[in-house]
Amino acid sequence: MRKIAKYIIAGAMLVLPMLFIGHKTEAKDSKGNIVVVIDAGHGEADSGSIGTTQVYEANVNLAIAKSFQKYLAQYEGVSVYLTRSDNEWMTNTGRAMIAKSLHADFLISVHNNSGSSTNSGSIVYKSISPLYTQATNDMGNLINAKLEAIGIANGGVQTRPDDRFPNEDYYTLIAEGVRAGFPSIIVEHLFLSNPSDCELVSNPDGTVKTDMTDKMGQADAEAVAEYFQLKKRTAVADDETTINLRKNYGVTLSTKDGSAGKWYSNDTQVATVDENGVVTAVGAGAANIVYKVNGENGGSCTINVEEVKPKSITGGIDPTFYETADDMDKIDLSTAFGFVTYTDGTSRKVALDTVGEVDKAKVGVQDIAVSYQGLNGILRIINNNESYVPEVTQPVEPDEPLEEETTVEAVKTEEAKEDAEETAEESKIDVKSVIKYVLVVVIVLLIGGILYLMENNKRHGNRYRRRRY
């Protein structure tokens, strides 16, 4: 019994404190994964800003987004999707609806800024909605910090309210994310109007400098991994392990004894492996990944890569917002298009098979049914006339003044204040956690003590009976 009591005490001391650990989000993926959607801003005829080297922002955004996806897909417990994986364009509302169709936990839009030739560094726009202010602020600060670590000036986290609705986000992608039920941010990685910034991500001929955009995407991925407390997907090449991966996802392999070896793939059309044992799934099928030490086979691992399948369809139409009845009357649904998202995280622009009907008299948000090759989705339009008030717009309390767009210096000052307040609040939370932990330990010790006394009394009773009889 005493042994049992000891086990109870030890187990409770390890397990019960876990009851007090909070979670930032609930995974919404059918596989139980966190869902992160990465949006490469602009695309197609919309080049975005044009840098001092004549590089197009849309191309820089896409390079960063692809790197972001590559590195984040090396972590466990996360599904990663791109709103566009080629030089294609989708409306900002449509980008948010793509994330909605995938049940996103977070939408991060990749951009690069433009301003004066002296503006420099990264700026993240968070949501002003009370629903997601904290989440978007935390993610924004993490991304800025990771970018700062690779040499990009930290311009802070900012907000921008809508001109018409001061409690609504100005940026459509952020506002529509709030309406759809998930946090969204816009990351302006640097200023293409600044020659020094622009030269970090582009060559003199206006092409993208991929070594730097790769580092920036990796920094973004590391920030998201830290926010969601993700761990790298790892395995040992022990001749017995089989790993199932989706295309574009990865795993880091190690040798059986921890020694350094040279890695090889027997089918690079299915999976590739680099000198560090990082495997990337590139096509459906099975591949054997082996490592050799001094020319001798040291171990292997089987990689099964799933077939890529379409996952969702989302419609888009330009324009998405209509101000008057005449504008609504002019809607031409034949110009609608779709974006199919696939299980490997990529997307492709398509011509829709069917598009439903629009109610031209309806004010506000209207979701029209669309389909493509058996997939069903929505096309969102908004009758934004004078009587329309966004559904999630909430009044600001008198003691909560509206945030205004600020300078970088003001943002840093405010952030320092917020950090101090957050530290103080975290200290309060930590004290509460310690008190709860101590109470649990005391209760468990009392239970253990009672069990011990019961066992002790029982042993004394047995001795007495043995003497009596």
Side-chain angles (χ1 to χ4, degrees), residues 162-181:
D162 184 74
D163 298 331
R164 181 176 168 190
F165 303 105
N167 304 315
E168 180 89 354
D169 286 291
Y170 171 85
Y171 294 107
T172 299
L173 181 133
I174 298 177
E176 290 302 312
V178 173
R179 239 179 300 287

Side-chain angles (χ1 to χ4, degrees), residues 358-412:
V358 60
D359 181 352
K360 296 183 179 180
K362 183 176 179 179
V363 175
V365 174
Q366 186 172 169
D367 290 332
I368 302 167
V370 299
S371 69
Y372 175 79
Q373 295 186 358
L375 293 172
N376 297 312
I378 62 167
L379 163 63
R380 174 162 289 187
I381 64 167
I382 300 170
N383 184 348
N384 196 32
N385 68 26
E386 292 181 356
S387 64
Y388 171 58
V389 177
E391 288 81 350
V392 296
T393 293
Q394 299 181 19
V396 176
E397 297 297 330
D399 59 345
E400 295 179 7
L402 181 67
E403 293 183 80
E404 298 179 355
E405 194 166 12
T406 57
T407 63
V408 170
E409 290 75 16
V411 168
K412 289 184 176 179

Side-chain angles (χ1 to χ4, degrees), residues 193-271:
S193 55
N194 181 313
S196 297
D197 275 16
C198 190
E199 287 171 9
L200 289 174
V201 294
S202 64
N203 299 305
D205 62 356
T207 56
V208 175
K209 191 177 289 183
T210 55
D211 57 343
M212 188 58 184
T213 55
D214 188 67
K215 290 179 181 178
M216 295 165 82
Q218 184 175 11
D220 291 344
E222 289 174 353
V224 172
E226 184 173 336
Y227 178 86
F228 285 113
Q229 299 178 12
L230 304 175
K231 295 181 179 180
K232 284 284 187 73
R233 185 181 294 106
T234 60
V236 178
D238 56 5
D239 300 319
E240 298 177 357
T241 299
T242 298
I243 300 170
N244 297 319
L245 293 176
R246 282 179 278 180
K247 182 182 175 184
N248 293 329
Y249 285 69
V251 58
T252 300
L253 299 179
S254 59
T255 61
K256 287 183 286 188
D257 58 2
S259 61
K262 290 189 176 181
W263 295 94
Y264 303 90
S265 170
N266 75 333
D267 192 341
T268 56
Q269 298 301 306
V270 173

Side-chain angles (χ1 to χ4, degrees), residues 66-78:
K66 285 186 171 181
S67 173
F68 188 171
Q69 178 199 30
K70 176 183 70 175
Y71 286 106
L72 189 55
Q74 293 174 8
Y75 288 84
E76 292 180 334
V78 63

